[in-house]
């Protein structure tokens, strides 16, 4: 594994390809996370506020449809969803290979997961706080923006980190089907060419990045949680 040829290959990859791969990995992580929260956060809030005893009940049929869509998308394994959605990527971004193409299936895979995480965070809020806001005459939208989201902020940030790391893992797996980033280097140079030194190096780098994400996320969560000040 530590032969001169393997070490030379790894050195060349580090010098020529690694920086671009890290950039692609970050793009495939942060953009889909952002898009997933733009779609999933309103859905998660609706799942709580729109139920029969919520602050703004919605038709049962609509709520059932939202739940079914979220459950269906969550039940499909990511690699299968990736294969199914890649034609949509070609339609939207003009290609089914590379970093841009993978952003679409990553977003579709992540937003149902985010919706359930947001739903869980909102349900953790003490109902008495909501009742107090209603008693003061707050509208449903005011309750959402001034009560639900601020009260759930630490939990939402914690779930944001969870979603970020999950999407990071999905992005690494996408290298199997033409995605870019560190995962692609690990698969194309390490696994397919049986250059295990390259593969192990990339795996270790992925682990380090996850630890960085988690550590930074923990700091932000602690600073935002008024209960531990």
């Amino acid at each position: 594994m530590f032969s001169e040829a393997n070490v030379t290959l790894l050195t060349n990859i580090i010098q020529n390809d690694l920086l671009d791969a890290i950039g692609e990995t970050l793009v495939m992580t942060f953009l889909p996370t952002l898009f997933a929260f733009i779609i999933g956060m309103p859905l998660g809030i609706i799942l709580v506020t729109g139920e029969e005893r919520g602050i703004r009940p919605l038709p049962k049929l609509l709520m059932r449809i939202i739940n079914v869509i979220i459950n269906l998308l969550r039940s499909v394994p990511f690699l299968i969803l990736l294969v199914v959605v890649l034609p949509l990527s070609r339609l939207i971004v003009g290609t089914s290979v590379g970093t841009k193409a993978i952003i679409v299936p990553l977003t579709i895979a992540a937003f149902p997961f985010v919706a359930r995480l947001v739903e869980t965070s909102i349900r953790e809020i003490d109902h008495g706080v909501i009742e107090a806001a209603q008693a003061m005459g707050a509208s449903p939208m005011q309750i959402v923006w001034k009560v639900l989201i601020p009260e759930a902020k630490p939990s939402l940030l914690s779930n944001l980190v969870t979603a970020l790391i999950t999407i990071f893992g999905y992005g690494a797996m996408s290298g199997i089907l033409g995605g870019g980033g560190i995962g692609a280097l690990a698969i194309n140079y390490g696994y397919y060419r049986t250059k295990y030194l390259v593969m192990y190096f990339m795996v270790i780098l992925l682990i380090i990045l996850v630890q960085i994400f988690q550590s930074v996320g923990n700091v932000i969560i602690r600073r935002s949680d008024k209960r531990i000040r």
Side-chain angles (χ1 to χ4, degrees), residues 6 23 29 47 73 75 84 92 96 99 107 120 126 137 141 147 153 181 193 219 222:
N6 288 343
T29 300
L47 289 172
L73 290 175
S75 65
V84 173
I92 295 175
S96 60
T99 302
T107 301
T120 300
D126 184 357
M141 189 60 67
V147 178
K153 185 178 178 181
R193 300 186 185 182
V219 171
R222 284 196 298 269

Side-chain angles (χ1 to χ4, degrees), residues 20-209:
D20 289 339
I22 292 174
E24 291 174 354
T25 298
L26 295 179
V27 169
M28 290 192 303
T29 300
F30 287 103
L31 275 184
T33 301
L34 173 63
F35 295 148
F37 264 83
I38 290 174
I39 301 171
M41 189 163 180
L43 289 176
I45 293 172
I46 288 172
L47 289 172
V48 179
T49 61
E51 60 188 7
E52 187 175 355
R53 296 184 180 181
I55 61 174
R56 183 63 175 85
L58 295 175
K60 290 183 178 180
L61 177 60
L62 176 60
M63 293 295 293
R64 190 174 295 114
I65 291 173
I66 293 174
N67 272 287
V68 168
I69 292 174
I70 290 174
N71 290 337
L72 283 175
L73 290 175
R74 285 193 65 197
S75 65
V76 181
F78 172 68
L79 288 179
I80 296 176
L81 183 65
L82 180 60
V83 173
V84 173
V85 176
L86 278 178
L88 179 62
S89 295
R90 189 182 299 112
L91 180 65
I92 295 175
V93 301
T95 180
S96 60
V97 178
T99 302
K100 291 193 299 182
I102 298 302
I103 290 175
V104 176
L106 282 174
T107 301
I108 293 175
F111 86 79
F113 176 61
V114 168
R116 289 302 183 194
L117 291 177
V118 171
E119 178 189 9
T120 300
S121 295
I122 299 299
R123 291 192 187 280
E124 291 174 354
I125 299 173
D126 184 357
H127 195 68
V129 177
I130 301 173
E131 291 177 344
Q134 290 176 318
M136 290 187 290
S139 67
M141 189 60 67
Q142 288 174 326
I143 293 175
V144 169
W145 285 105
K146 296 184 178 181
V147 178
L148 297 184
I149 294 178
E151 287 293 322
K153 185 178 178 181
S155 179
L156 288 172
L157 288 173
S158 178
N159 286 330
L160 171 61
V161 175
T162 300
L164 188 75
I165 293 173
T166 300
I167 293 169
F168 178 82
Y170 286 166
M173 286 189 290
S174 70
I176 296 176
L177 293 173
I182 299 171
L185 293 181
I187 292 168
N188 295 333
Y189 287 97
Y191 180 72
Y192 289 150
R193 300 186 185 182
T194 65
K195 304 297 183 182
Y196 295 114
L197 178 61
V198 175
M199 186 173 68
Y200 293 147
F201 178 87
M202 298 305 164
V203 170
I204 292 171
L205 182 56
L206 290 171
I207 293 172
I208 291 172
L209 288 175

